[in-house]
């Protein structure tokens, strides 16, 4: 427990909580389309690319870790504002707020639209989103420590679903995987980035600096969290590649939905709606982390406005923005654009911070 | 903070409750399609029929069969929805029957509606009807449960016994799109007062081409993969006095291995070797199964006979250019990607040298010698 500048006691994230938080932010609804994205982009056995993505995430996290180390765990805003005049930082902050808030709202809308497709075809999706957004406001207002506690709870609520993969062992065939590695794919750079979007979420750990201490083992915990995501993604996609034939996979938009529909218990079948419901937990965490990050950045622009006003304002704005993309394909097109921007932030922001830290150090040692 | 929460709570409750007003599903008002059928009608139209079990106590019949003719399956569904007071839903659809005539024209278009609709289960069973599918579905079989259930039970039971493969929407589309195997589906036939399994339908891509008689179902299963459970009857001709006898195996355990060889010109040849173990439940010949030497001779005879039957099936499939065993998968998986793409498998397939051999082991002979 620590006392910050305002005299308020802030609890620090434990190492496990941080790992879970990173995992829950990363893992999301993209998994439903991931096997198809992989097979279309990389071709046969596209799942082998996932560990490569995982390594890229770790490299990126090393950058974040370097910022953490060099900045002595100071918040990134403090580092930036120490070297650059606030006025110059405003456009950057605005950009961060816009991208994070939009990503949050789009991820939520995507989840809701898929839910609508499989379960409630004529209910207004925005009504669902309204309910979700109210939960989000409450979570956001509680602060990061409580979000991470919720993340841990949600983690246990949803992580058991990985056991469902056992159901597919019966129809899984190694011969269906084919011995061809990455043949027949026709993806371009945008598709590669599109798959990387499935891993996004880890970069938000850059905002958690001041909620950590030495015991959190920041770098190690975030890497563990991202590794768990990579392992889960790889495992699920590997099974999907041996369960469906390659050309079949290319034709399916949501192979994992079909996988879940395949599950049958002796007493009940067609449980995919229920299982899909459990994914709400991971989606909720992804969304809340993006919106919370947007709020953190926004607070730097308008420090005078209270958190209790800012959080609902951001959620409301995001809600209004979510009206614009109406169909699932529109949402996906928007998501593609914003995740591309987010990739730039994920790589660019730590580099900018390292640059700033390097320059201020030189200055300090120079005088 | 508490105040904000207190204000939000009623709003949340309202929103949650209101969400329930849309998309209501009241059990009594729903017609759960259980079995559907597709037949060919005049002028490129499809006749679509659906059987819906009725659960209300005042209902006169146990089920309702509706049918309509339209250019597409879903359009027909809209048409026949006008004939019933129930809201038709397909979440409980268990079986779909296609007449041989419609299956000959290709299934892909018809399956599109089933694959696309998220409410249709990937476990939906697909079968072919030798004759008119709608008539089979409409008919009441007095000694048996309601027709839809009857078909479902029959298919499931026979699939466990391996006389037919269990063909679901998932497995059919999976094999359809795989470039090394063609799909298969069981064939049903109306036999007066019961339905019988009429064999295994073999497809070339999505078109029904030919079938294997039901008696060869298990031999086909031997060639298609390893399995447990199943029964097969083999007719033997004794070498000494050419007397005919029959032997029946039960509780079969079968393991298949595939060998692919390529000659100098690169043409592949395939050999299936099947190791089969089973218990003898019936034997009408004169040899004594308890005698090691005689039993081994019988085992060899059975193996020879099964090899003959297996190779006949392979020949039949090659003549009809249907790769229902997935020889393409075996060949593909032993090639480079470029070589596989260069090899025009559907063209090469009929010319490939494919053989099989059996190894039979009687693991028990029952209670008598």
């Amino acid at each position: 427990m620590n006392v910050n500048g305002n005299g308020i006691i802030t609890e620090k994230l434990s190492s496990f909580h941080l790992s879970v938080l990173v995992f829950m932010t990363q893992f999301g609804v993209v998994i439903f389309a991931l096997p198809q994205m992989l097979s279309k982009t990389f071709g046969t056995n596209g799942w082998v690319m996932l560990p490569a993505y995982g390594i890229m995430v770790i490299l990126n996290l090393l950058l974040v870790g370097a910022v953490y180390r060099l900045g002595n765990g100071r918040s990134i805003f403090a580092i930036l504002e120490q070297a650059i005049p606030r006025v110059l930082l405003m456009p950057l902050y605005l950009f961060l707020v816009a991208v994070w808030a939009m990503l949050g709202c789009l991820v939520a809308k995507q989840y809701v639209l898929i839910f609508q497709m499989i379960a409630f075809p004529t209910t207004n999706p925005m009504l669902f989103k309204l309910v979700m957004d109210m939960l989000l406001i409450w979570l956001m207002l509680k602060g990061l420590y409580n979000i991470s506690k919720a993340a841990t709870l949600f983690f246990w609520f949803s992580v058991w679903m990985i056991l469902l993969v056992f159901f597919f062992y019966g129809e899984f065939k190694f011969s269906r995987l084919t011995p061809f590695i990455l043949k027949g794919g026709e993806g371009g750079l945008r598709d590669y980035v599109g798959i990387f979007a499935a891993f996004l979420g880890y970069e938000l750990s850059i905002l958690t600096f001041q909620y950590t201490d030495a015991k959190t083992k920041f770098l190690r915990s975030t890497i563990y969290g991202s590794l768990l995501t990579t392992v889960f993604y790889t495992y699920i996609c590997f099974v999907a590649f041996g369960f469906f034939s390659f050309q079949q996979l290319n034709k399916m938009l949501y192979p994992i939905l079909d996988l879940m529909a395949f599950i049958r218990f002796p007493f009940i079948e067609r449980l995919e709606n229920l299982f899909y419901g459990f994914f709400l937990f991971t989606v909720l965490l992804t969304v809340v982390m993006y919106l919370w990050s947007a709020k953190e950045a926004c607070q730097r622009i308008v420090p005078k406005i209270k958190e209790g006003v800012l959080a609902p304002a951001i959620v409301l704005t995001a809600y209004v923005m979510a009206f614009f993309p109406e169909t699932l394909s529109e949402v996906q097109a928007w998501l593609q654009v914003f995740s591309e921007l987010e990739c730039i932030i994920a790589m660019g922001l730590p580099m900018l911070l390292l640059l700033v830290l390097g320059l201020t150090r030189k200055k300090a040692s120079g005088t | 903070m508490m105040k904000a929460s207190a204000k939000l709570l009623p709003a949340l409750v309202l929103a949650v409750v209101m969400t329930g007003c849309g998309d209501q599903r009241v059990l009594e008002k729903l017609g759960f399609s259980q079995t559907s059928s597709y037949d060919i009608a005049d002028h490129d139209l499809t006749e679509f029929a659906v059987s819906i079990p009725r659960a209300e106590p005042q209902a006169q019949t146990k089920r309702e069969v509706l049918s309509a003719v339209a250019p597409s399956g879903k359009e027909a569904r809209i048409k026949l929805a006008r004939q019933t007071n129930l809201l038709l839903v397909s979440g409980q659809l268990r079986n779909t029957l296609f007449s041989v005539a419609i299956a000959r024209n290709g299934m892909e278009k018809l399956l599109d509606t089933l694959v696309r609709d998220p409410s249709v289960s990937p476990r939906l069973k697909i079968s072919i009807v030798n004759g008119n599918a709608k008539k089979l579905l409409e008919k009441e079989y007095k000694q048996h449960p309601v027709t839809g259930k009857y078909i479902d039970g029959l298919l499931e039971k026979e699939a466990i016994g391996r006389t037919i493969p269990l063909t679901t929407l998932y497995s059919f589309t999976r094999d359809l799109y795989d470039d090394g195997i063609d799909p298969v589906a069981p064939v049903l036939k109306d036999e007066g007062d019961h339905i019988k399994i009429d064999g295994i339908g073999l497809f070339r891509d999505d078109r029904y081409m030919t079938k294997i008689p039901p008696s060869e179902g298990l031999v086909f299963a031997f060639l298609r993969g390893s399995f447990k459970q199943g029964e097969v009857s083999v007719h033997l001709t004794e070498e000494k006095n050419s007397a005919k006898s029959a032997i029946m195996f039960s509780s079969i355990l079968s393991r298949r291995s595939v060998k692919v060889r390529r000659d100098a010109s690169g043409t592949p040849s395939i050999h299936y070797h099947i190791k089969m173990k089973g218990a003898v439940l019936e034997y009408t010949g004169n040899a004594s199964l308890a005698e090691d030497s005689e039993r081994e001779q019988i085992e060899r005879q059975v193996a020879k006979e099964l090899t003959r039957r297996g190779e006949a099936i392979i020949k039949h499939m090659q003549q009809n250019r249907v790769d229902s065993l997935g020889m393409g998968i075996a060949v593909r998986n032993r090639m480079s990607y470029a070589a596989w793409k260069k090899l025009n498998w559907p063209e090469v397939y009929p010319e490939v040298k494919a053989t099989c051999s059996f190894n039979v082991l009687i693991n028990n002979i029952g209670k008598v010698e």
Side-chain angles (χ1 to χ4, degrees), chain A residues 122-123 175 243 245 262 270, chain B residues 23 91 119 123 170 174 177 333:
Chain A
T122 57
T123 304
S175 67
F243 186 84
S245 59
F262 192 79
R270 306 305 310 285
Chain B
D23 282 312
S119 69
R123 279 185 185 268
Y170 150 73
R174 181 193 69 203
Y177 294 127
N333 289 0

Side-chain angles (χ1 to χ4, degrees), chain A residues 117-118 120-123 127-128 130-131 134 138 141 171 175-176 178-180 183-184 243-245 247-248 251 258 261-262 264 269-270 272, chain B residues 1 5 8-9 11-12 15-16 18-19 22-23 25 91 94 118-123 156 170 173-174 177-178 329 332-333 335-337 340:
Chain A
M117 177 180 82
I118 61 170
F120 301 96
T122 57
T123 304
L127 205 57
F128 273 117
L130 186 71
V131 180
M134 287 187 179
W138 273 325
L141 285 174
E171 292 287 344
S175 67
R176 220 166 276 141
T178 77
F180 314 134
K183 292 286 159 62
F243 186 84
F244 297 113
S245 59
Q247 297 296 340
Q248 183 189 21
K251 286 183 190 284
D258 270 75
F262 192 79
R264 177 170 70 170
E269 64 178 312
R270 306 305 310 285
E272 70 267 30
Chain B
M1 200 80 92
S5 308
L8 270 171
L9 194 64
L12 181 69
V16 170
M18 269 168 56
T19 314
D23 282 312
R25 297 272 189 273
R94 298 297 163 94
S119 69
V120 174
S121 165
R123 279 185 185 268
E156 213 148 283
Y170 150 73
T173 46
R174 181 193 69 203
Y177 294 127
D178 200 319
I329 293 183
R332 179 188 71 194
N333 289 0
M335 275 182 140
S336 74
Y337 183 75
W340 171 250

Side-chain angles (χ1 to χ4, degrees), chain A residues 27-44:
Chain A
F27 199 86
V29 93
V30 192
I31 184 66
F32 285 92
L34 198 56
Q36 188 240 17
M37 291 160 81
L38 287 165
S39 73
K40 272 202 150 169
T41 311
F42 295 113
T44 49

Side-chain angles (χ1 to χ4, degrees), chain A residues 58-100:
Chain A
I58 290 175
L59 291 179
N60 200 170
L61 278 171
L62 288 177
L63 277 182
V64 177
V67 176
Y68 183 70
R69 181 68 55 86
L70 291 175
N72 294 322
R74 274 179 303 156
S75 106
I76 58 158
F77 301 115
I79 298 172
L80 284 173
E81 283 162 22
Q82 176 198 347
I84 305 171
R86 265 176 53 100
V87 190
L88 289 180
L89 284 172
M90 282 302 156
L92 175 69
Y93 287 168
L94 268 175
F95 176 65
L96 291 179
V97 173
V99 173
W100 286 338

Side-chain angles (χ1 to χ4, degrees), chain A residues 114-180:
Chain A
I114 295 177
F115 203 18
Q116 189 201 19
M117 177 180 82
I118 61 170
F120 301 96
T122 57
T123 304
N124 186 349
M126 292 312 281
L127 205 57
F128 273 117
K129 199 171 173 301
L130 186 71
V131 180
M132 216 168 139
D133 283 356
M134 287 187 179
L135 264 170
L136 289 175
I137 295 181
W138 273 325
L139 261 174
M140 271 168 78
L141 285 174
K142 292 290 179 197
L144 187 74
Y145 184 73
N146 287 307
I147 291 176
S148 90
K149 278 202 290 192
T152 313
L153 192 69
F154 289 174
F155 173 74
W156 294 120
F157 278 163
S158 45
V159 75
W160 59 270
M161 290 215 294
I162 197 75
L163 297 176
L164 293 176
V165 176
F166 282 122
F167 278 93
F168 314 124
Y169 281 22
E171 292 287 344
F172 178 89
K173 279 226 173 83
F174 281 100
S175 67
R176 220 166 276 141
L177 286 172
T178 77
F180 314 134

